[in-house]
Amino acid sequence: MNASCNDNDDPALEITSSFSATIPPKYREVCNKENRTPKLGPPSVKPNPIRCSLYSPRTRGLIMGMEGGEVLHWTLSSDTARKISLIGQHKGSVTAVHLPPDKETICDKLVVSGSADGTVKIWSECSGARIGCWECVQTLYGHGGSVLAIECVRDYIITGGTDRRVRLWWAVDERKMLQHPWFESEGVIVTMEGWVQDMSFPRGQRLGQGATLFVADSSAGVVKVTPKGHIDPNTRRLKSRLDWTVARNPTQPNGSSLAFRKIHDRGISIIKFVPDMDLVFTASYDNCLRVYDNKTSTLKLSWENENNCRFTAILYDRKRGQVITTDMLGYLAIYCLKKETMLATKRLTTKPILSIHHREATDDYVVILEGEIQVWRIERDVGYNVLRGGHTGPVVSLYTCSGGKGLLDREQDFRIFSASLDKTLRLWDPHDLGCLRCLTERQSEISCMTFSEKENTLIVGHDDGVIRLWNMDTDTCVQLAQHTNSITALRMAPVGRQEELLLSAGYDGMVCIWDVRKTRGAKPHLVGRIRAHNPEATTSDPLAPACRPEILCLEFDKTRRVIFTGGNDCHIKAWSLTTHHYLGRHVGHKEPISCMAMDANFLFSGSEDRTINVWDALPAPPLGSSYSSHPFRGGTLLKTLQGHKGTVTGLVILKASGHLVSCSVDGFVMVWDYVSGDMIRRHHHDEEVLCIALRYDVDEIMVGTRQSNILRLPAGEKVATVARTESGPQ
């Protein structure tokens, strides 16, 4: 499966939950008659899960077959699941249900169900005073085992099951004037090598236009059956009786009836024919989905489930040319056939998904589980996109590489890293945004993250005060321990052309300075500590609070080698990296400082007071004095930006324009001209945004949310040009 070089041309989409509903208690359990002992009282109770389902556009509801033999109709409204009614009862588990297409057959407004008891029942909704009730109008006998697949073509019902036979039932002409059609057996079309698992005949396909019925079995065999109609010379209309012919494949040995070679390792569970593209989709118990060309019988695409489990449903979006799949681990995936790229992957549930159905004229999709239904909405052409296959917990940190030397010659490094409270670290491919690697933390929760591009080392802070350095070349880990409480901020501080130090801060009010270079076999070690936000931090600061504040964020000025720390004391303090001396503080916020960013001599800070302050980062000391004798105390606030309705959680600078980008738990991402104080544009999403990063290779901003998503937003300027200019090949 080939991926495009850049999937930013794909339509942006998002998968969100609309509502869910569970099976009512009345149908949730069934009596276990097999274990019934009269002397011991009533029979025991066993679960009654859903076994098969389909969506009825006419009734706007679900037709469901249950393990206990019930056939149910569940009415759905726009935002909830309403009345559930009993259509009828089989003696065995209901293994297949089918709804004949309206206006194409005399079988419309009927429901056909197959069961493990070997029967096929035809149900009709009552009219008049008994509207909403159903009755069985005919029972078809003939199968010697469970009926697993049903299809309807014009006036025919085709059934297949564990007896390996595909049977044909025809609505006789003599009884078409009655209220309901009457079906009689036309015999067996074909006998398969294995159990008949599934059949496919596209709705709306007319005879003579390549109409074909595909049959798949448990031995991985696929057979094509072609119906052929005849014109009545008297009425010049198509006769109701058709000729059914099993197509012989000349490419197969001895004129075999198999449409394709058995390339699946195990039996086929799903088959779907898409006449628009003349493609046949098959899903197997070998965890693979394969696509064949119907005319040439050649394999076009092979897709192995990355979750290492079986696909449970295949849905084709004709309008957009997309394939939607679900699997046993609860994942939904959307694949674009035209571009051969994966558009989205999302885990909807931890339970197996049985099937998925599209609600016509909406963006809603009904997901069927064993004991409940979930309705999800796939929103397309939105102003953002969601990274597929992401985290399952809040995303607390993002890092994007700036385009330095990559792993290969003449390759720039634009890798993307993310950290989450689900205790995982993920590495993302910048080209197709697929997850390349996932590191799992077993001991403690992840609190922050950064990356050393010079050392190719992923640096992670934890809530137990430990810092772990992950070598991405060898997958080895080094542990640093100096903090006594959670690590809240990590920052790489360039101190030379090829040298940089690691800065760390935490709830203990300490700033630690580390040398993490891989030189001469030396291990990463501590080179300095600053008591930044403690009462005893400096004796020259009489306004230091009596409590012990916490550091929540830090920033570094590489030109002046100054460390800025912000915390819950609402102050921003400046410290010399070289001497560790206190230089002064910025005063102006009313609530704790949550994030900072720098642009030249401007320092930006976001706070829980929902404002962004612009500061003169390091004002000049009085003439003839120094910071050590006269640290600055306020008077440095240049401007306050207001617009967010929640805590400001992240700040970045767009290098091309110099604009400031902010994000907040209110779901807004705003772009500011901080010189004029105007907000230029904004993006909104109904999730709490916790972190932000700017991509250097494409025109994108990435944000992580509390709801476990990583969103991609347009930055609005040519970021890729900036990356090449600043980084260049090294």
Side-chain angles (χ1 to χ4, degrees), residues 450-483:
T450 191
F451 183 73
S452 172
E453 298 186 40
K454 291 184 178 3
E455 304 296 332
N456 194 30
T457 300
L458 185 64
I459 305 170
V460 186
H462 297 267
D463 64 352
D464 59 359
V466 171
I467 301 173
R468 290 186 175 86
L469 312 180
W470 291 89
N471 189 318
M472 302 305 293
D473 295 325
T474 62
D475 279 346
T476 57
C477 176
V478 176
Q479 183 170 296
L480 307 178
Q482 280 292 330
H483 289 278

Side-chain angles (χ1 to χ4, degrees), residues 608-647:
E608 292 182 12
D609 62 13
R610 302 175 291 180
T611 65
I612 303 168
N613 283 348
V614 185
W615 313 87
D616 181 0
L618 197 65
L623 186 63
S625 63
S626 63
Y627 291 113
S628 57
S629 58
H630 292 85
F632 63 91
R633 296 182 178 88
T636 55
L637 180 61
L638 303 178
K639 194 179 296 291
T640 297
L641 307 178
Q642 296 181 340
H644 284 292
K645 298 179 181 179
T647 300

Side-chain angles (χ1 to χ4, degrees), residues 509 531-551 565-573 575 582 584-587 633:
R531 290 185 174 271
H533 281 242
N534 286 352
E536 59 273 18
T538 174
T539 56
S540 61
D541 187 5
L543 297 180
C547 63
R548 177 167 293 184
E550 302 167 343
I551 299 178
T565 59
N568 63 353
D569 57 1
C570 309
H571 298 165
I572 300 174
K573 296 184 178 181
W575 305 86
Y582 172 70
R585 66 179 180 180
H586 301 286
V587 181
R633 296 182 178 88

Side-chain angles (χ1 to χ4, degrees), residues 140-168:
L140 306 179
Y141 299 92
H143 280 285
S146 300
V147 179
L148 303 180
I150 301 175
E151 271 292 348
C152 294
V153 180
R154 292 182 61 84
D155 298 342
Y156 287 88
I157 296 177
I158 306 102
T159 59
T162 58
D163 60 359
R164 302 185 293 116
R165 292 175 175 83
V166 179
R167 289 189 172 273
L168 191 66

Side-chain angles (χ1 to χ4, degrees), residues 28-40:
R28 198 177 303 164
E29 296 177 338
V30 66
C31 292
N32 189 1
K33 299 179 181 180
E34 297 177 358
N35 297 333
R36 181 175 183 179
T37 304
K39 295 182 179 180
L40 299 179

Side-chain angles (χ1 to χ4, degrees), residues 495 513 530 556 560-563 575-581:
V495 293
I513 306 169
I530 302 174
F556 180 69
R560 301 171 181 83
R561 296 193 177 186
V562 174
I563 303 171
W575 305 86
S576 171
L577 174 66
T578 307
T579 64
H580 301 177
H581 288 167

